[in-house]
Amino acid sequence: MKKLFFVLMLMISLLFISSCSVVKIYNDSFIALGTVIDLTIYDNDDALKHYKEVLNIMRNITKASSAYKQYADSSVSIYALNENKVVLNDNKYFDILKELLNYSIEIKNTTNGYFNPLIGSISFKWKDIIEEYNKTNDSSVINFSSNEINNYLSKINNSELVITEDYIELKGNALIDLGAIAKGYATKKAIEYLDNASCNKYILNAGKSNIAFGTKPKKEFNIMLTDYDTKDNKITNIGNIVGNNMTITTSAMGEQSFYYDGNYYHHIISPIDGYPKSYYTTVSIFNLDPMLSDAYATAIFSMDIDEAKAFIEENDLETILYSNIGNKGYIYKSIKVGDYFHEN
Amino acid sequence: MKIKRDLILIGILISISLVFLVIWFVNNNDIGNYAVITHNDEEVVRLPLNTDTEYEILGDISLMHIHIKDGYVYVHDSGCSNQICANTKKTNKKGAIIACIPNGVIIKVIKV
């Protein structure tokens, strides 16, 4: 009887201990930067405060970087710069825009022009074509002639940004599109805030393409890396990323794409010749400043495999290149990719 | 007598283990039981996934019809231009999100 009593007490104690170690989870989502941002914070009494702060950071960056919409409280934005060619330093969004554009110019140089913030006139037109085709399935919407593209490329090459403490000026007839860097920049700013606030048990998912996480209580994060095949409308599991304290950035053809007459049309446009390239269908970069990896993944998308490998080695990147296209389907893993990647 | 007591003890331990197993399974499977619909950061409604429902919401640019059928939630139709929300597959997975960005609407599956 004593033995029975002892075992029951032991079970009750175990139950008590396990109930004490329940992980507190705060999770919520919001729309910013044209996507859904999902933030989960573990074991933190100030989780709601941190969530609101991250929301605020990302919404401010949305207002400054949007090329599609003029927000009522922000006269300083890419939209305003594209419309008016100049914005003045008269509100809080100016500093965000200035920093974002300075980084963009720097990255344009380090990627030899494969990332270019002045790509707007061409990228906006391709985005319209993709949206229209996916709505109508009408191939006549692919009406972007090579002459027209060359004309835009010449405008891009003859334009420049002048950035001062008092104003930002867009000289020339190019348009700015920061779609390839804004989400990464916002993710960078959000995780800087979380780190400074000593909030290190979290996962931030910015539209699936930019993911950053700290440590997960009890076990590691396990993120599935997938590829979308626009031709067959099929999702493939490339592999799983298992670990803590990482960033994952992915550029992919994804759903903003279509296949017609042997060609893939998607939203990642080469600033070199103005066309979408199909060397890869997914490019992922791990454990780098999310802003840099966002812009680099976009740049690599338009490089052929030799150029891409040289760039990856030169910048010591942890990168996976994946293609699902026909017989060329393959996966390339840079030397730096660690044991955290489990190929499917 | 001793053997009988040991058998009772083993029986109790197996029963307790089974109870824990059931509790663990209920808490750790990834099927949600509610769809939470938010519009511009405000929760509009919480719909149980175990009841077939057709819900209409006016988003920023158009009406949306959100259906719950056989335990799954999906966007039946929306007036947005890209139709990404309507083309997103129905889901019942805990944490899954269906969003209509132009309408400012998020549908999230949760488990309570």
Side-chain angles (χ1 to χ4, degrees):
Chain A
M1 202 58 198
K2 269 185 189 169
K3 203 158 121 190
L4 181 63
F5 180 73
F6 173 76
V7 171
L8 283 173
M9 286 305 290
L10 187 69
M11 297 302 294
I12 291 165
S13 304
L14 282 173
L15 184 65
F16 180 73
I17 290 165
S18 64
S19 67
C20 286
S21 68
V22 167
V23 178
K24 274 195 294 181
I25 301 175
Y26 180 85
N27 169 263
D28 211 344
S29 313
F30 57 94
I31 292 172
L33 298 145
T35 191
V36 178
I37 314 288
D38 191 62
L39 176 62
T40 303
I41 297 173
Y42 304 90
D43 279 340
N44 193 310
D45 292 337
D46 293 325
L48 178 62
K49 180 186 145 206
H50 296 322
Y51 171 81
K52 285 184 173 170
E53 198 56 47
V54 167
L55 183 149
N56 201 28
I57 289 167
M58 294 188 122
R59 285 267 165 83
N60 285 343
I61 294 169
T62 304
K63 289 178 183 177
S65 64
S66 175
Y68 295 97
K69 186 173 171 182
Q70 177 71 62
Y71 289 85
D73 63 338
S74 171
S75 57
V76 177
S77 66
I78 292 299
Y79 182 91
L81 193 52
N82 282 339
E83 285 286 307
N84 310 321
K85 301 292 176 193
V86 67
V87 291
L88 302 176
N89 183 358
D90 62 1
N91 67 36
K92 64 179 178 179
Y93 301 104
F94 185 85
D95 287 339
I96 296 173
L97 195 58
K98 191 176 81 172
E99 187 174 62
L100 196 42
L101 288 171
N102 273 326
Y103 279 133
S104 298
I105 293 168
E106 211 176 297
I107 296 169
K108 181 193 166 199
N109 295 331
T110 53
T111 58
N112 296 321
Y114 277 99
F115 166 85
N116 191 336
L118 297 173
I119 188 82
S121 45
I122 296 180
S123 61
F124 297 150
K125 171 103 184 187
W126 278 117
K127 278 174 194 165
D128 287 345
I129 289 171
I130 292 162
E131 194 171 306
E132 202 54 35
Y133 183 90
N134 283 335
K135 242 187 328 191
T136 61
N137 263 335
D138 177 4
S139 62
S140 71
V141 300
I142 315 169
N143 57 357
F144 209 2
S145 70
S146 56
N147 276 347
E148 205 179 347
I149 289 175
N150 286 334
N151 185 27
Y152 280 129
L153 284 172
S154 124
K155 283 179 182 170
I156 290 169
N157 294 331
N158 291 314
S159 297
E160 66 168 329
L161 279 162
V162 179
I163 302 169
T164 73
E165 290 302 314
D166 303 318
Y167 66 89
I168 301 168
E169 186 180 1
L170 171 58
K171 285 189 169 173
N173 293 313
L175 296 175
I176 305 166
D177 179 1
L178 296 183
I181 192 173
K183 243 191 288 176
Y185 174 78
T187 305
K188 170 193 169 88
K189 291 292 174 185
I191 61 175
E192 275 174 9
Y193 164 78
L194 292 169
D195 287 347
N196 287 335
S198 300
C199 176
N200 42 35
K201 294 178 188 169
Y202 68 88
I203 179 163
L204 175 67
N205 183 346
K208 296 181 190 166
S209 58
N210 292 73
I211 298 173
F213 46 89
T215 54
K216 186 174 187 179
K218 293 184 179 175
K219 54 185 177 183
E220 292 179 309
F221 287 104
N222 187 337
I223 313 291
M224 194 193 290
L225 192 62
T226 58
D227 175 81
Y228 176 71
D229 180 347
T230 191
K231 188 178 167 193
D232 297 328
N233 189 21
K234 196 177 77 184
I235 293 172
T236 305
N237 177 8
I238 303 174
N240 284 55
I241 317 295
V242 181
N244 283 326
N245 299 309
M246 291 184 70
T247 62
I248 306 171
T249 305
T250 297
S251 279
M253 283 191 192
E255 282 150 14
Q256 290 181 69
S257 62
F258 65 89
Y259 175 82
Y260 174 74
D261 199 22
N263 293 310
Y264 287 85
Y265 297 89
H266 58 86
H267 65 293
I268 306 168
I269 309 303
S270 167
I272 309 298
D273 67 4
Y275 286 91
K277 300 294 179 196
S278 47
Y279 301 120
Y280 326 103
T281 47
T282 290
V283 172
S284 289
I285 300 179
F286 310 104
N287 298 328
L288 186 69
D289 167 344
M291 177 191 70
L292 278 182
S293 49
D294 201 10
Y296 283 179
T298 301
I300 290 170
F301 216 95
S302 299
M303 297 179 188
D304 67 28
I305 187 68
D306 292 332
E307 278 176 295
K309 280 181 181 174
F311 184 78
I312 288 163
E313 275 175 32
E314 191 187 334
N315 291 282
D316 210 17
L317 302 178
E318 302 173 36
T319 310
I320 282 172
L321 310 177
Y322 181 81
S323 167
N324 65 36
I325 298 173
N327 296 327
K328 290 192 297 174
Y330 67 94
I331 183 163
Y332 165 78
K333 198 167 68 165
S334 71
I335 297 163
K336 287 272 285 177
V337 172
D339 292 339
Y340 53 78
F341 178 66
H342 303 267
E343 193 173 334
N344 192 29
Chain B
M1 195 61 185
K2 199 177 172 217
I3 293 171
K4 195 180 169 189
R5 260 191 274 158
D6 283 349
L7 284 174
I8 292 171
L9 181 61
I10 290 167
I12 290 171
L13 287 175
I14 290 172
S15 308
I16 292 171
S17 304
L18 283 173
V19 169
F20 277 118
L21 199 65
V22 169
I23 292 170
W24 181 88
F25 182 77
V26 168
N27 286 325
N28 287 279
N29 78 61
D30 62 352
I31 307 297
N33 56 0
Y34 278 87
V36 179
I37 301 172
T38 55
H39 178 223
N40 292 336
D41 301 332
E42 297 292 329
E43 183 174 325
V44 181
V45 69
R46 212 167 254 241
L47 302 170
L49 291 181
N50 62 5
T51 310
D52 286 0
T53 315
E54 293 181 6
Y55 187 79
E56 183 179 272
I57 181 170
L58 179 61
D60 289 350
I61 60 161
S62 72
L63 269 179
M64 289 175 70
H65 291 98
I66 298 158
H67 289 195
I68 290 173
K69 196 163 190 311
D70 302 330
Y72 289 81
V73 62
Y74 61 97
V75 174
H76 181 267
D77 59 88
S78 162
C80 64
S81 59
N82 56 29
Q83 292 291 296
I84 289 173
C85 57
N87 290 329
T88 303
K89 282 184 180 167
K90 64 182 182 178
T91 186
N92 64 353
K93 271 187 135 185
K94 184 175 74 175
I97 290 172
I98 301 173
C100 183
I101 308 291
N103 271 313
V105 171
I106 297 176
I107 305 153
K108 188 167 196 170
V109 177
I110 62 158
K111 186 171 182 172
V112 289

